[in-house]
């Protein structure tokens, strides 16, 4: 057994039984998908940790990353905003950190929260401490952690990225480019190939009652967590139950034409030893329910079909050009709560 896995198993053992009265939930992802999950989960637990991808290279985050050599703060900011409460304080701060400057100068397009996070990183020299401080300022109902302490580059092997060569395989570099490719993504990997995980993120996964992966951009926000070795090991050996939350619709470009079960198949290719307990999908987004149930069983999971879609409209920035579908926070919260109750609670909070 690899030394890293032995170390992780010891951490699991020493932490067992040391739980509070609420379920400890860790949600992994990035962008609007993770925000949707966090907005729902903070309604049913006060012990919530977000582990966020750090491979973004577009927009304000990409500019700050290029200029200052920092982690891209955008997805971290979105997660913090999603954890803000529904009171006046929470709504105000969520709007402030999400506010983008509009100008003809260098500030154009930068989000206030991005600048605040980067400023604290430079002042404190500690990613986790700075994010905890921003969370305290916002009154966030949970904690936000980066999955790695180094900026990562996402690379994808894509078939037909050049429309004039539909059968040619090529390497596409950068999360923003991968998300918009008109080709078929075959596989993704990170550079560096063996990035270090943030220790607090690994500990959170090991100490969780439930781990939720997704929804979100499948190749650029969900699967990258499985490409960080220590984080994947933690997800594999944790005693937490695991939920895989599917998107409401394929994402234009990145997963164009994907069925729900194909999302499971490509995830399994990237992490063949990782099992799940539940696969959550919207009942109206699954045209072939039998195929999804079979695909879920191959992951060791049961498929839970629940109404989780909102009546209409998209989260700002959800997918390239937005998406016609978005999760309803109350319905998604009800689905998570039902899963937690039906599939066995772990620890003294049951």
């Amino acid at each position: 057994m690899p030394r890293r896995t032995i170390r992780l198993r010891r951490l699991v053992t020493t932490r067992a039984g040391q739980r509070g009265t609420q379920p400890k939930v860790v949600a992994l992802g990035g962008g609007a998908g993770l925000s949707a999950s966090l907005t729902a989960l903070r309604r049913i637990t006060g012990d919530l940790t977000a582990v966020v991808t750090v491979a973004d290279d577009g927009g304000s985050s990409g500019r700050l990353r290029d200029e200052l050599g920092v982690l891209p703060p955008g997805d971290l900011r979105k997660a913090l905003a999603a954890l803000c409460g529904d009171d006046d304080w929470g709504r105000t701060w969520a709007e402030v950190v999400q506010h983008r400057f509009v100008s003809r100068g260098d500030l154009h397009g930068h989000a206030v929260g991005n600048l605040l996070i980067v400023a604290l990183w430079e002042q404190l020299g500690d990613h986790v401490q700075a994010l905890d401080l921003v969370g305290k300022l916002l009154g966030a109902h949970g904690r936000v952690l980066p999955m790695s302490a180094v900026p990562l580059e996402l690379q994808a092997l894509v078939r037909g990225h050049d429309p004039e060569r539909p059968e040619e395989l090529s390497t596409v570099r950068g999360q923003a480019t991968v998300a918009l490719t008109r080709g078929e993504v075959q596989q993704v990997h990170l550079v560096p190939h063996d990035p270090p995980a943030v220790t607090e993120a690994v500990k959170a996964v090991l100490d969780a009652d439930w781990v939720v992966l997704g929804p979100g951009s499948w190749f650029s926000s969900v699967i990258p967590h499985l490409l960080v070795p220590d984080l994947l090991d933690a997800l594999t050996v944790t005693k937490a139950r695991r939920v895989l939350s599917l998107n409401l619709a394929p994402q234009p470009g990145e997963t164009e034409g994907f069925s729900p079960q194909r999302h499971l198949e490509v995830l399994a290719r990237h992490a063949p030893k990782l099992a799940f307990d539940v696969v959550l999908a919207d009942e109206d987004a699954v045209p072939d329910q039998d195929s999804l149930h079979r695909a879920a069983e191959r992951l060791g999971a049961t498929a839970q079909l629940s109404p989780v879609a909102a009546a209409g409209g998209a989260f700002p920035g959800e997918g390239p050009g937005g998406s016609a579908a978005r999760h309803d926070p109350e319905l998604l919260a009800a689905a998570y709560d039902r899963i937690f109750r039906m599939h066995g609670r772990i620890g003294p909070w049951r």
Side-chain angles (χ1 to χ4, degrees):
M1 183 182 297
R3 183 178 301 173
R4 176 171 57 218
T5 302
I6 294 174
R7 184 176 71 250
L8 291 170
R9 288 190 184 277
R10 287 173 179 167
L11 276 170
V12 172
T13 303
T14 59
R15 292 176 179 274
Q18 301 175 2
R19 306 183 187 278
T21 58
Q22 298 187 80
K24 291 189 174 184
V25 181
V26 176
L28 302 95
L34 178 60
S35 295
S37 202
L38 294 175
T39 303
L41 287 167
R42 66 174 169 81
R43 287 166 161 75
I44 58 176
T45 183
D47 199 335
L48 177 58
T49 300
V51 178
V52 184
T53 182
V54 286
D56 189 9
D57 61 350
S60 170
S61 287
R63 290 159 59 193
L64 291 168
R65 173 177 173 163
D66 290 343
E67 185 172 345
L68 301 174
V70 296
L71 294 180
D75 284 351
L76 297 161
R77 180 199 81 246
K78 292 174 186 175
L80 285 163
L83 291 175
C84 287
D86 295 321
D87 56 1
D88 288 341
W89 182 273
R91 287 193 297 269
T92 298
W93 274 110
E95 292 174 0
V96 169
V97 298
Q98 295 282 58
H99 175 77
R100 290 185 184 274
F101 294 104
V102 177
S103 73
R104 297 180 179 178
D106 293 339
L107 273 178
H108 179 74
H110 276 305
V112 171
N114 288 356
L115 302 178
L116 175 62
I117 291 169
V118 171
L120 282 168
W121 283 341
E122 293 193 345
Q123 287 290 316
L124 301 177
D126 186 307
H127 293 105
V128 173
Q129 184 183 358
L131 290 167
D132 284 345
L133 191 58
V134 177
K136 185 177 180 180
L137 172 66
L138 272 55
H141 295 253
R143 193 182 194 192
V144 173
L145 300 169
M147 70 178 186
S148 178
V150 298
L152 303 173
E153 180 185 74
L154 185 72
Q155 295 187 359
L157 185 64
V158 179
R159 183 186 303 277
H161 179 66
D162 182 349
E164 295 183 359
R165 298 179 175 84
E167 296 303 316
E168 183 178 86
L169 291 174
S170 57
T171 298
V172 176
R173 294 173 172 82
Q175 183 181 26
T177 306
V178 172
L180 293 171
T181 181
R182 289 185 288 177
E184 181 180 327
V185 179
Q186 305 292 302
Q187 190 174 20
V188 291
H189 64 269
L190 295 174
V191 178
H193 291 274
D194 191 13
V198 167
T199 301
E200 291 84 354
V202 172
K203 290 180 178 178
V205 170
L206 294 176
D207 198 33
D209 293 306
W210 286 90
V211 174
V212 178
L213 180 63
S217 299
W218 213 242
F219 286 108
S220 53
S221 291
V222 175
I223 289 177
H225 289 82
L226 311 181
L227 307 179
V228 179
D230 279 339
L231 195 54
L232 176 59
D233 285 346
L235 289 166
T236 303
V237 306
T238 182
K239 292 182 178 180
R241 297 184 186 273
R242 307 169 190 88
V243 179
L244 182 61
S245 189
L246 294 182
N247 295 327
L248 298 174
Q251 180 175 326
E254 192 170 309
T255 53
E256 185 77 41
F258 274 34
S259 65
Q261 54 269 24
R262 189 173 178 189
H263 284 76
L264 306 191
E265 293 164 1
V266 299
L267 185 143
R269 285 207 307 267
H270 287 82
K273 295 181 180 180
L274 181 61
F276 289 86
D277 296 278
V278 181
V279 173
L280 173 62
D282 183 78
E283 56 189 5
D284 293 331
V286 183
D288 186 347
Q289 295 186 6
D290 289 340
S291 293
L292 179 62
H293 281 287
R294 289 193 296 270
E297 288 174 0
R298 289 192 287 272
L299 292 180
T302 58
Q304 177 74 46
L305 303 181
S306 300
V308 294
F315 284 121
E318 184 174 16
S323 168
R326 67 177 179 90
H327 288 86
D328 181 281
E330 297 294 342
L331 292 177
L332 187 57
Y336 283 140
D337 188 58
R338 190 160 47 247
I339 288 170
F340 294 173
R341 293 177 184 276
M342 288 176 59
H343 293 270
R345 291 181 164 184
I346 306 170
W349 56 276
R350 60 187 164 204

